Amino acid sequence: MRLTATLAPVLTPDADGFYHPVDEDQVAALIRMARDRGLQVRVRGSAHSEAAAIFSDAKLRGAGEAVDLVLDLLDGIRFDERRLQVSVAAGCRFGHDPRDRSGRATEARGLCAQLEARGWALPVLAGVSHQTIAGFFATGSCGGSLQHALDQAIVGLRLIDGTGLLHVLTPATTPALFAAAGVSLGLLGIVVGVTLQCEPRYDIIGEEAITTRSDAAVDLFAEDGPRCLAEFLRAHAYARLLWWPQPGVDKLVVWTARRAPGEPGEPEPYQAFPRVLGSDVVVQRFAGLGMRGLDLWHTAAQALPRPLRAATDPLRGALVNAFVPSDPAGPQQFRDVWWRGLPMDNQIDERVMPVDFVEVWLPISRAAEAMRRLRALHEATGWDLAVNAPIEVYAGADSRFWLSPGRGGDRVRINVFWPRFNREDPRAGSFAAHVACLADLGARFHWAKHVPAGFGPAQARAAYPEWQDFLRLRAALDPDQLFLTARWRHITGVAPAGAAGRPC
């Protein structure tokens, strides 16, 4: 479908250095301009991804010219009452984005609040809800559930390719392109709209328990039985674990929820942090200071002989236990509306505790083996790989999209945290060690988070059966390679046009 050019397209960037098109015609005009001038084109959503995954090479270098877009002005929503479907422009957020400076990404303008006002809902949400709709799906993101899959709600996509042509995609009319574009990585074009199948709204009820690992409701290391990790994730509609593996800590934070039957009830919201004078800001700031102190302590301890360093472990463990205390009065019980209760991490202020991640997706049949390997790794390394942060464990359902890390079967997701203010570079330290520990278990990686430097075309071909089909579609939809940056060339093996060699 050829778009009609808007009368006065915005073909100059705003003061922030980004282009802000107001409609699909302007998006197509910017792509054609970039094609004529030989410029890269990339789209930034909420910037929740690693920078190299979303920005052009010129934007990353801070020099040169490219077309970096922000689709914040494309945030319209249309409701189909008969089908219970919603069509959402790419730049709309699920909820409020606290980092947005435009003033548009408010809770009221977000998709979830507008669905709730109609009595509609989505089947699941991620731990935070400030992502843009298109950016969330393009990176293969999902919620923590095997029973409910958000990408299964996608019934249509609108994609503008590298020639400025609009494609309207559905699983019935364009099955291959739909399966490729559902997790596109921004390499097929620009997704400008998503249509979602909704369902009646619901409340969730649940609990969060903080215990020693041995006392938890789930056995991370058991191969089978009702308490094994795989069965635990299958049994709970929504679940998330935080494991603190440090010596003298070894605790689990177990968050589970299910849909509440009947009519809406009185909310009793989940609290990620205790409140002081009606606010959790004080506790968050103290926790952030404690994490910084642990990093400084760890750095200083590295200069000590190992026996002296080991002697400090109980003190470090006591500090972590103070911030992650076992439940004195039993698990925290909560009830809330779906769109506020499911994103349990929305309460965390990223300015206080900024975190980087590597997220490893493994077949759920390898869950227990993966956790036993991680136990051995942390027993051998002590505090070195988990200085002041936990490991998150949750689930990802089977996906029909070619490049989803969940393609081909249910997965366990192991998310290694690393506070951004820590002195050590996790890519060569903590992240590399965790990845090496799990790599041969069928590992895939969350595209928006850290992808190891060793993950290239050979690894991608082995991990994703439709990889070559995706690359063929990419070449057809983006013949001038507008959307390929250095990061994506490294992963895909696609050489610059006219360069020696051929795509891998």
Side-chain angles (χ1 to χ4, degrees):
M1 181 184 299
R2 182 68 65 181
L3 292 170
T4 303
T6 303
L7 290 178
V10 177
L11 297 180
T12 56
D14 207 340
D16 61 4
F18 292 95
Y19 293 85
H20 294 259
V22 301
D23 57 24
E24 293 179 0
D25 289 323
Q26 289 192 358
V27 174
L30 285 165
I31 289 174
R32 290 193 290 269
M33 179 192 77
R35 191 182 188 200
D36 290 342
R37 296 168 60 182
L39 302 177
Q40 286 180 359
V41 179
R42 295 299 293 173
V43 179
R44 195 214 78 184
S46 65
H48 195 61
S49 302
E50 279 214 335
I54 51 177
F55 296 127
S56 69
D57 292 336
K59 179 67 70 176
L60 289 172
R61 292 192 306 264
E65 190 177 4
V67 177
D68 285 88
L69 289 79
V70 174
L71 303 181
D72 54 340
L73 302 181
L74 275 73
D75 62 356
I77 299 176
R78 291 186 295 106
F79 297 94
D80 184 333
E81 304 283 349
R82 183 174 66 84
R83 292 187 175 89
L84 206 70
Q85 292 179 356
V86 60
S87 294
V88 191
C92 181
R93 265 75 162 180
F94 286 95
H96 167 56
D97 184 355
R99 296 180 296 182
D100 174 64
R101 296 181 180 178
S102 71
R104 298 179 65 88
T106 63
E107 182 178 277
R109 294 181 66 91
L111 172 62
C112 291
Q114 296 191 54
L115 292 179
E116 174 71 16
R118 275 180 162 71
W120 297 9
L122 296 172
V124 67
L125 291 172
V128 293
S129 61
H130 58 253
Q131 306 98 325
T132 63
I133 304 299
F136 181 88
F137 291 118
T139 55
S141 301
C142 70
S145 177
L146 294 179
Q147 299 180 20
H148 304 285
L150 190 52
D151 67 2
Q152 288 292 330
I154 302 176
V155 295
L157 295 165
R158 294 173 68 83
L159 172 80
I160 301 178
D161 70 18
T163 70
L165 193 66
L166 175 67
H167 302 261
V168 180
L169 312 177
T170 72
T173 60
T174 54
L177 189 48
F178 179 82
V183 179
S184 68
L185 314 179
L187 300 181
L188 303 180
I190 298 177
V191 173
V192 290
V194 181
T195 299
L196 299 167
Q197 181 64 54
C198 300
E199 57 185 84
R201 55 92 52 221
Y202 54 89
D203 283 358
I204 63 164
I205 54 177
E207 68 174 35
E208 181 180 79
I210 306 175
T211 67
T212 61
R213 179 183 50 76
S214 59
D215 291 335
V218 56
D219 185 342
L220 294 182
F221 312 124
E223 197 65 50
D224 51 31
R227 291 182 63 241
C228 80
L229 178 56
E231 288 306 313
F232 176 86
L233 294 175
R234 292 188 181 107
H236 292 277
Y238 310 101
R240 191 273 295 274
L241 311 176
L242 289 176
W243 176 35
W244 293 82
Q246 293 86 348
V249 184
D250 200 17
K251 283 185 174 176
L252 270 182
V253 181
V254 181
W255 184 102
T256 57
R258 65 188 187 278
R259 296 190 181 187
E263 295 299 314
E266 184 66 27
E268 187 177 349
Y270 166 72
Q271 298 294 334
F273 296 92
R275 290 182 172 269
V276 177
L277 300 177
S279 172
D280 62 11
V281 172
V282 173
V283 176
Q284 286 204 56
R285 292 195 180 279
F286 270 109
L289 289 172
M291 292 173 72
R292 290 174 185 269
L294 278 168
D295 179 56
L296 292 172
W297 190 340
H298 182 72
T299 301
Q302 296 302 97
L304 298 174
R306 179 167 289 277
L308 289 178
R309 195 188 321 165
T312 70
D313 287 353
L315 295 175
R316 285 196 271 181
L319 181 57
V320 174
N321 283 317
F323 284 103
V324 191
S326 296
D327 302 311
Q332 175 189 172
Q333 308 290 327
F334 58 86
R335 176 177 184 138
D336 213 338
V337 296
W338 63 278
W339 61 286
R340 286 189 174 142
L342 291 174
M344 77 291 286
D345 289 336
N346 270 353
Q347 300 175 38
I348 297 175
D349 189 335
E350 294 180 2
R351 295 168 298 180
V352 177
M353 289 183 283
V355 178
D356 288 322
F357 317 84
V358 62
E359 183 169 301
V360 186
W361 295 51
L362 303 170
I364 200 163
S365 61
R366 313 304 291 272
E369 182 179 358
M371 299 311 298
R372 289 194 296 269
R373 288 191 184 189
L374 291 178
R375 175 178 59 182
L377 177 67
H378 285 279
E379 286 176 347
T381 57
W383 287 81
D384 290 350
L385 301 180
V387 174
N388 50 3
I391 296 172
E392 184 177 41
V393 182
Y394 51 156
D398 187 11
S399 176
R400 58 199 163 143
F401 295 122
W402 288 353
L403 296 195
S404 169
R407 176 70 168 168
D410 292 343
R411 305 272 158 170
V412 61
R413 298 153 63 192
I414 298 171
N415 197 0
V416 181
F417 292 3
W418 192 260
R420 203 168 293 155
F421 48 67
N422 282 4
R423 293 169 181 246
E424 183 183 336
D425 182 355
R427 288 155 182 79
S430 179
F431 289 175
H434 285 93
V435 167
C437 179
L438 303 173
D440 65 338
L441 298 180
R444 295 173 180 169
F445 303 97
H446 194 310
W447 295 110
K449 300 176 183 179
H450 171 66
V451 176
F455 190 87
Q459 291 73 23
R461 278 199 308 272
Y464 295 96
E466 292 95 357
W467 184 254
Q468 293 300 121
D469 298 320
F470 180 87
L471 290 186
R472 280 190 285 271
L473 280 175
R474 192 222 63 76
L477 293 172
D478 181 25
D480 299 291
Q481 304 184 357
L482 303 182
F483 305 110
L484 283 168
T485 61
R487 188 213 209 210
W488 295 114
R489 287 191 188 280
H490 170 75
I491 291 173
T492 62
V494 176
R502 61 183 181 86
C504 299

